[in-house]
Amino acid sequence: GPDCGQAPADPQANSKARNLICYLRTHTYVSGQTDLPDADRVQQLTGRYPAIVAFDFMEYTRGSIQTQQVIDWAKSHNGIVAFQWHWYCPRGGNYSAPCDFQPDLTNPSSKLYQDIDLVVRELKKMGDAGVPVLFRPLHEANNNYMWWAKKGQDAYKQLWRLIYQRSQLAGAHNIVWVFNGMASGQGTSLASWYPGDGYADLVTSDYFQSASDFATTKAVSGAKTTGVAETFSPLNPNSDPAWPYFVVWASRDWNGSGKDVAGLWRTAMADPRTISLDQLPDMSAW
């Protein structure tokens, strides 16, 4: 139920978003995998399907829309949908290119606004179809690699709040707002990029298995729920902290991770504490 001690950042969040927040708040080791073919591969390897599948808005601004496919998957599998956004710079270039976006923050006719509004419309379509979304925009905040992080914390927070405000204006109230950075190994702290309790529901780290990552993320989150929004290998309940959820990155990079990711998936899914898709509640009733 929605009364789990954490109110959503969006005061108008619908019941599905509220229940998803509370489900993650009250569970641990909810499993996830980026990309549908890779989630299918996990099932082939282990006999169990990840509870979360992460999709990407990357090509949406170039005309490749997969929203209906996502809705169909959510309806047929009763799984949790997550989205990240490798956002091509609205002024040209890829997601890591230098991008002078600050002048556009107050320009509603800019490509920046157009991109945001396009993605927000697709989020709302999912909401209208009864699908809540773990939305991770502007990810890896303190890594200084993505263009949205290259202008510093203040510009980052302004952009985050703009995306939130445009979502509010559009009536997209099915969003669970996932703030993401690195808990360790960066030049600036995760906390210094946090957009504020009124703009985020989950505080997550990309997991590099530093012993301090769990405590650092908890310290930033305060009363919010945490998670591992992107990691190269699944968590092991026998050895890893009790994160609410984790999402393994795409299998095209499994070999480059230096780990036996397939073997680690087998280990994770052999543990009954790892939550797979078949253990999820009926989200259609939320």
Side-chain angles (χ1 to χ4, degrees):
D3 299 321
C4 61
Q6 179 178 339
D10 175 6
Q12 299 180 70
N14 65 25
S15 63
K16 293 183 183 296
R18 290 171 184 267
N19 277 289
L20 181 52
I21 291 168
C22 286
Y23 181 77
L24 295 175
R25 185 175 180 82
T26 54
H27 292 78
T28 55
Y29 306 116
V30 180
S31 63
Q33 173 63 52
T34 301
D35 295 342
L36 266 180
D38 293 349
D40 295 342
R41 181 180 178 186
V42 171
Q43 185 180 41
Q44 292 161 8
L45 286 167
T46 69
R48 297 174 71 190
Y49 203 99
I52 302 168
V53 172
F55 303 86
D56 204 314
F57 285 122
M58 181 166 68
E59 300 296 337
Y60 274 50
T61 57
R62 296 190 173 190
S64 180
I65 307 294
Q66 63 178 133
T67 302
Q68 190 58 52
Q69 178 192 15
V70 175
I71 292 169
D72 292 345
W73 177 83
K75 296 289 189 181
S76 64
H77 286 72
N78 193 40
I80 298 171
V81 169
F83 262 94
Q84 61 257 349
W85 185 9
H86 284 87
W87 187 358
Y88 290 108
C89 171
R91 287 173 171 251
N94 67 15
Y95 49 83
S96 64
C99 188
D100 186 21
F101 68 92
Q102 288 167 285
D104 296 332
L105 289 169
T106 55
N107 180 7
S109 64
S110 66
K111 180 71 160 49
L112 181 87
Y113 273 71
Q114 293 169 19
D115 286 357
I116 293 170
D117 289 349
L118 183 155
V119 164
V120 166
R121 282 196 300 270
E122 299 306 313
L123 284 164
K124 188 175 185 299
K125 285 179 187 175
M126 288 182 261
D128 292 344
V131 178
V133 179
L134 298 174
F135 181 35
R136 183 173 68 123
L138 311 184
H139 59 287
E140 299 184 354
N142 59 336
N143 192 29
N144 199 37
Y145 179 72
M146 310 295 188
W147 61 258
W148 48 83
K150 294 180 187 292
K151 300 295 183 180
Q153 292 99 320
D154 289 344
Y156 174 89
K157 292 174 187 177
Q158 289 176 49
L159 182 57
W160 180 285
R161 291 166 186 168
L162 176 63
I163 296 171
Y164 175 89
Q165 289 157 5
R166 301 302 289 180
S167 299
Q168 292 286 290
L169 285 170
H173 300 300
N174 59 311
I175 301 170
V176 176
W177 292 89
V178 182
F179 168 67
N180 174 250
M182 275 75 164
S184 60
Q186 306 303 308
T188 55
S189 68
L190 182 65
S192 66
W193 295 80
Y194 184 52
D197 286 349
Y199 299 93
D201 296 303
L202 307 179
V203 176
T204 67
S205 176
D206 284 8
Y207 193 50
F208 292 100
Q209 280 137 331
S210 167
S212 64
D213 284 0
F214 184 70
T216 298
T217 308
K218 288 286 286 183
V220 176
S221 69
K224 303 284 186 177
T225 300
T226 64
V228 179
E230 183 179 319
T231 178
F232 273 124
S233 56
L235 301 190
N236 183 342
N238 280 322
S239 57
D240 288 315
W243 294 90
Y245 79 100
F246 64 88
V247 178
V248 177
W249 184 241
S251 70
R252 60 182 175 270
D253 290 329
W254 282 9
N255 291 336
S257 70
K259 300 177 180 180
D260 176 15
V261 181
L264 291 168
W265 260 123
R266 292 188 186 96
T267 299
M269 289 305 208
D271 193 311
R273 290 171 290 183
T274 300
I275 296 175
S276 53
L277 185 141
D278 58 294
Q279 295 167 289
L280 291 175
D282 178 8
M283 289 184 288
S284 68
W286 283 357

